[in-house]
Every structure is written in structure tokens, then in C-alpha cells.
């Protein structure tokens, strides 16, 4: 019997806003930190690369970003219901990327590379164009879906995806997966519940 046919009825509480994860991060809980870095690390890396940080250095800049987050998270307070953590993370990333380009430009100036120095200085001043918290929602959702998918058996996820995303009828999906309509509805409900729970835990 598969996970799709034998599902528990356990309830998944929905914490308000994103207090659960932030409190865990602020108290240096390793599980909370792992989830934060797992969710936002790839986004910070993408910001760094789109800003012109070379691949060989991007991971180091990402590490510097999260080092700054660790130093400041204890003092961080959400100033508005939506967007403040993501804006704060974008600001930290911009600052660390600027630091990176300024260090690179200092090296170029030291060896007399005037043209390269000027280009790097220009990059340091145009970071706002490539790092914005406005785009982070879709990227976070994509990462969250990947993480939630890994928590379920393939048949459960397929039942959810085909009914919730592809808008197929429960009867058609049940026939395709050789299970019952009730099991398909339960799979959809269970996955949606987990997605909502995980999304509401994340800092906004």
C-alpha cells in the first residue's frame, strides 16, 4: 500500500506570519538556520552572479552575506508585515557585493589596471539594478515546492500536482494512478496543507 492510499490525518498548525522560523534563527537553532540558508542561499547566489561576481568567488560572497545575517539577526525586528526580512537580506547582499567589487578594484588599481578598475567601480555603484527583493517571492516559492515535494511519495505529489496545478479531475487522476478518488483528494489536501505551513513559516 502506498503513501497515497495510507495517509495520516495529522494536523499541521499554521504559525502566524513567519515568527516560528525567525525566532529559531534568532536563537541560533541549527535546524532553523539550515532551513533559512537552504531557502535563501540559492537566491543570494543568483543575486551575486547576476551582479557580475565571478563563479569562483560567488560562494565566498554568499558565505559573507550569511555571516552578516548571523551577526545582525539578533537585532533584526520586522518593521512591516510584508517584505522587511527580504528587503534586509537584499540590502546585506548589495553591501557585500559592493565590498567584493571594491576589493577587486583596489587590486586592479594596485597593479595599474586603470580600465579594469573603472569598470569594477561602476559595477559597485550599479548593484541596486540587479539585486531587488521584489523578485524573491517566486524564487522562494519554487524552492519551497522543491523541498515539500521531497517530503512526499511520488504518487502523492503527482496526485496533488495534476489536480491543483494541471486542473485535472480527481476521477481522471485516480484512474491514471490506479487509486481511489478519495485518496486523490486526501493527497491534494495534505500537500496543500504542508505548502501553506512551510510558506507561512518563512520570513517575509
Amino acid at each position: 500500500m502506498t503513501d497515497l492510499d495510507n495517509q495520516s490525518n495529522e494536523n499541521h498548525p499554521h504559525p502566524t506570519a513567519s515568527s516560528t522560523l525567525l525566532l529559531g534563527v534568532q536563537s541560533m537553532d541549527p535546524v532553523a538556520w539550515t532551513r533559512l540558508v537552504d531557502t535563501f542561499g540559492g537566491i543570494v547566489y543568483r543575486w551575486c552572479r547576476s551582479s557580475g561576481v565571478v563563479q569562483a568567488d560567488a560562494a565566498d560572497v554568499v558565505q559573507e552575506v550569511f555571516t552578516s545575517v548571523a551577526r545582525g539577526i539578533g537585532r533584526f525586528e520586522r518593521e512591516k508585515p510584508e517584505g522587511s526580512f527580504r528587503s534586509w537580506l537584499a540590502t546585506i547582499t548589495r553591501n557585500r557585493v559592493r565590498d567584493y567589487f571594491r576589493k577587486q578594484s583596489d587590486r586592479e588599481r594596485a597593479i595599474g589596471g586603470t580600465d579594469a578598475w573603472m569598470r569594477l567601480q561602476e559595477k559597485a555603484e550599479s548593484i541596486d539594478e540587479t539585486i531587488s527583493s521584489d523578485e524573491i517571492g517566486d524564487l522562494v516559492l519554487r524552492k519551497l515546492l522543491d523541498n515539500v515535494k521531497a517530503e512526499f511519495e511520488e504518487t502523492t505529489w503527482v496526485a496533488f500536482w495534476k489536480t491543483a496545478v494541471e486542473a485535472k479531475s480527481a476521477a481522471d487522476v485516480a484512474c491514471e494512478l490506479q487509486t481511489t478518488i478519495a485518496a486523490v483528494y486526501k493527497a491534494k489536501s495534505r500537500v496543500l496543507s504542508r505548502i501553506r505551513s512551510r510558506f507561512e513559516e518563512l520570513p517575509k
Side-chain angles (χ1 to χ4, degrees):
M1 184 174 293
T2 69
D3 182 44
L4 182 64
D5 293 307
N6 184 25
Q7 299 180 46
S8 69
N9 293 319
E10 65 184 69
N11 294 321
H12 299 287
H14 291 182
T16 59
S18 55
S19 57
T20 300
L21 185 59
L22 268 184
L23 288 174
V25 170
Q26 288 175 326
S27 63
M28 299 300 169
D29 175 67
V31 175
W33 264 107
T34 297
R35 181 175 293 180
L36 185 81
V37 175
D38 182 59
T39 302
F40 292 98
I43 295 167
V44 172
Y45 180 86
R46 174 173 170 167
W47 277 341
C48 292
R49 295 287 288 128
S50 65
S51 299
V53 177
V54 298
Q55 185 175 3
D57 296 333
D60 290 337
V61 178
V62 171
Q63 184 174 352
E64 290 174 7
V65 169
F66 282 99
T67 297
S68 296
V69 170
R71 289 172 179 163
I73 194 68
R75 300 185 301 276
F76 172 77
E77 293 182 4
R78 191 181 295 106
E79 296 177 355
K80 52 186 177 179
E82 298 289 337
S84 62
F85 176 81
R86 296 173 184 182
S87 296
W88 184 62
L89 181 63
T91 298
I92 290 174
T93 305
R94 284 194 290 267
N95 289 338
R96 296 295 77 79
V97 171
R98 285 195 183 99
D99 289 345
Y100 165 80
F101 282 120
R102 285 166 182 154
K103 290 175 183 176
Q104 297 297 314
S105 66
D106 286 345
R107 293 192 187 101
E108 292 295 338
R109 182 167 55 183
I111 63 176
T114 305
D115 290 342
W117 174 79
M118 291 181 65
R119 287 196 299 271
L120 289 166
Q121 284 290 92
E122 289 172 0
K123 280 188 176 183
E125 297 307 319
S126 64
I127 299 304
D128 288 351
E129 300 174 8
T130 54
I131 298 178
S132 169
S133 60
D134 294 339
E135 66 168 332
I136 201 171
D138 288 343
L139 298 173
V140 167
L141 181 57
R142 240 178 286 165
K143 180 63 178 177
L144 183 146
L145 287 175
D146 287 341
N147 288 344
V148 170
K149 181 179 180 180
E151 297 180 29
F152 292 93
E153 285 193 0
E154 182 68 18
T155 49
T156 303
W157 181 262
V158 169
F160 153 74
W161 191 265
K162 287 183 178 293
T163 52
V165 179
E166 297 180 4
K168 291 186 176 181
S169 71
D172 287 343
V173 175
C175 181
E176 182 179 340
L177 298 178
Q178 298 184 336
T179 186
T180 65
I181 294 175
V184 171
Y185 279 125
K186 286 182 181 179
K188 179 182 177 181
S189 176
R190 189 181 178 202
V191 176
L192 281 173
S193 177
R194 188 67 58 84
I195 289 172
R196 292 189 191 103
S197 178
R198 292 288 182 261
F199 190 75
E200 289 171 3
E201 290 176 0
L202 294 177
K204 304 298 191 293

